[in-house]
Amino acid sequence: MKLSLMKRLLLVSCLSLPLALAALPTSAQAVPMPEKPEATAADLTPAVTSSSQIWESVIALPDGRLVLEAPRWLGNPNPQLSIATVGGAPAPYPDADWNAAEGDPAKRFVALTSMTRAADGTLWLVDSGVPDREAKPEAPAKLIQIDPSTGQVKRSFPVSADALRDGSILAGIAVHEQTAYVADSGVPGILVIDLESGVARRFLDHVEGLTAKRPIVTPSGEVKARDGRPLAIDATLVAISPDGQWLYVQSYCGPLYRIATRLFDDPDSTNTALQESATLWYKTHALGGLTVGPDGTLYWSDVTTGSIDSYTPGRIPHHLITDPRLKWPGGLSLSGNTLFVPAAQLDRAARFQNGQATVQWPVTVYSFHVPEDATSDVLRK
C-alpha cells in the first residue's frame, strides 16, 4: 500500500465486481466470481501471531519457516523483516544489523515495501527508501537479495535514479530468471530491472492499467487518508507467470491487467504498442496480495470482502473462502497446497485512525488449505 498520490483519490466505490454467477461467455469477457465459497472456516487456521507488529506480507519457505514483513510506514517497531516457524516466536531476519534503526542506509532496511521468492529459492526485497509516504525519500531505493539457505544477504544495489521520477515509491516486485519487474506506486509505471547488470528501464508511465481510479473499500467502508479523503493507490501489485511470458499488475483497488513481457525487450515495440498491450484481465476489488502458482493459477486476497480467491489461466474464477477473521488480508504465499496470508488490519493502523491504532491484537498469519478445485478450468456453479 502506498499513500503518495492523493490527487488521484476519487469518491467512487470499489464494490463494482458482479457477484452473480453467469454462464461461460463466448467473448473475452471474464466470468463473474461465484458467490458460494469452496472452503470452510475449518480450512483457515492460525499459523503465527504478533502482539506488537502489523504484518503486511508473508513468504513461506520450503523448510516451513515464514518470512514476515512489518512495514515501517505503518508505525511498526523494528524489525521490518523477521522469520518464524509455525507457532514459534519471530526473530529479526537476516539479522539485527539489517533491521537497525540507524546506520548506513545501504546496509540496512530503510522502508521495505515488497518481497518475493524467486525460482532459485532466493528472496528479493524492495526498499523504497520512503518511510513516510507523504514525505521525501530518506534514502535511495534499492533491491536486496537474501539466500534463505544461508540466511545471508547476497546482493544489495540501488535502483538507477534515471528510472525513477520525483515522487516515485517502488512497491510490488516479481522476478523471472534474471529480470525483476517492479511497480512504481508513487508515479505509476513499471521498472524492468536486469538483475545481473542492475540496469533499470521504465515503461508504461501513467497508463490506465496502473493508475488508481477509485478508493480502497473494506467491509467497514471506504478507507480515509490522513486528510480525510478516500484513499486510492496506483500500481502496487505484480505477479509473473511461471514461463515469464505474462506480467499481471494492478493498482491497489484494481482492476487486474495482463501484459506480454516480450514487448519490454522488443526493440520495435513502441510506447503505444506497450500501452495497448495492457489487457483488462479481471475486475478485481482492492487486493492486499497477489501470487501465482506453478501451473499459472493466480491467487489473491480480497480486502473489500475479506476473501481469498483463485483465477486459472483459462480465466475461470474460484471463490475459495470469505471469513470475518480475514481483516484486510495482505500479501499471501503459496507452499504446496497451503496458502499463508496475514490478516493485516491495515485500516486500523494509527495513520488511518487519527493517530490512535485500533488494531485487535494479535495480528495473525493464517494457513489456508487450498481446495483441489482452485486450479480447475471447469466452471463451478
Side-chain angles (χ1 to χ4, degrees):
M1 177 189 312
K2 315 297 173 275
L3 304 176
S4 66
L5 291 177
M6 296 298 105
K7 63 183 179 180
R8 293 183 176 85
L9 299 180
L10 304 173
L11 290 169
V12 181
S13 171
C14 276
L15 295 173
S16 63
L17 183 64
L19 293 178
L21 184 63
L24 185 63
T26 56
S27 68
Q29 183 178 354
V31 180
M33 185 67 68
E35 290 186 15
K36 184 178 179 180
E38 299 182 11
T40 68
D43 294 306
L44 187 73
T45 58
V48 62
T49 63
S50 173
S51 296
S52 61
Q53 289 191 311
I54 297 174
W55 290 326
E56 185 183 27
S57 185
V58 61
I59 294 290
L61 300 178
D63 61 10
R65 295 178 298 166
L66 302 176
V67 180
L68 306 153
E69 181 187 325
R72 182 178 166 190
W73 71 270
L74 286 172
N76 278 309
N78 280 341
Q80 290 190 59
L81 197 69
S82 56
I83 195 164
T85 57
V86 172
Y93 192 71
D95 54 39
D97 289 341
W98 272 96
N99 285 279
E102 299 179 347
D104 184 354
K107 298 180 180 179
R108 66 181 177 91
F109 303 138
V110 176
L112 293 182
T113 55
S114 184
M115 59 182 177
T116 191
R117 182 172 177 267
D120 65 2
T122 62
L123 302 179
W124 282 97
L125 293 82
V126 179
D127 186 336
S128 71
V130 187
D132 185 340
R133 306 294 172 173
E134 297 168 5
K136 293 183 178 180
E138 189 175 286
K142 62 179 180 287
L143 297 188
I144 304 152
Q145 184 186 26
I146 299 176
D147 184 351
S149 67
T150 63
Q152 300 293 318
V153 172
K154 292 187 64 176
R155 295 178 62 196
S156 176
F157 61 89
V159 176
S160 305
D162 57 3
L164 303 175
R165 301 288 183 264
D166 185 21
S168 284
I169 302 178
L170 299 188
I173 180 173
V175 171
H176 180 72
E177 296 180 347
Q178 292 302 310
T179 303
Y181 302 87
V182 180
D184 186 342
S185 68
V187 182
I190 294 292
L191 276 63
V192 179
I193 304 175
D194 186 313
L195 295 176
E196 292 183 341
S197 66
V199 172
R201 297 171 293 148
R202 188 181 183 92
F203 299 91
L204 300 170
D205 275 3
H206 298 286
V207 301
E208 181 179 5
L210 307 183
T211 305
K213 300 177 181 63
R214 54 193 183 186
I216 298 169
V217 173
T218 73
S220 301
E222 289 182 347
V223 181
K224 307 291 185 180
R226 282 175 174 171
D227 60 8
R229 291 183 295 175
L231 177 65
I233 304 163
D234 288 332
T236 307
L237 298 115
V238 291
I240 190 82
S241 62
D243 58 11
Q245 293 186 23
W246 301 104
L247 184 71
Y248 303 93
V249 61
Q250 78 163 55
S251 61
Y252 204 93
C253 205
L256 180 70
Y257 282 77
R258 189 179 81 158
I259 303 167
T261 58
R262 60 178 175 79
L263 296 175
F264 294 124
D265 297 315
D266 185 349
D268 294 326
S269 290
T270 64
N271 187 54
T272 299
L274 277 165
Q275 292 186 26
E276 292 177 347
S277 74
T279 302
L280 177 60
W281 203 238
Y282 200 79
K283 292 182 178 180
T284 48
H285 292 150
L287 301 185
L290 177 69
T291 192
V292 61
D295 67 337
T297 295
L298 290 168
Y299 298 88
W300 58 64
S301 49
D302 189 321
V303 169
T304 299
T305 62
S307 303
I308 299 173
D309 301 315
S310 67
Y311 194 52
T312 72
R315 305 190 74 181
I316 298 300
H318 294 274
H319 177 35
L320 304 184
I321 191 171
T322 296
D323 193 287
R325 292 172 292 175
L326 292 174
K327 297 178 175 66
W328 201 303
L332 68 177
S333 180
L334 181 67
S335 178
N337 64 352
T338 301
L339 279 168
F340 291 88
V341 58
Q345 303 185 56
L346 263 62
D347 55 331
R348 297 177 177 178
R351 71 179 304 122
F352 301 124
Q353 300 292 332
N354 297 316
Q356 297 294 324
T358 60
V359 175
Q360 295 179 354
W361 303 103
V363 167
T364 302
V365 172
Y366 290 94
S367 64
F368 173 65
H369 178 74
V370 179
E372 292 183 5
D373 200 42
T375 60
S376 173
D377 275 335
V378 176
L379 179 61
R380 177 168 176 165
K381 298 184 178 180

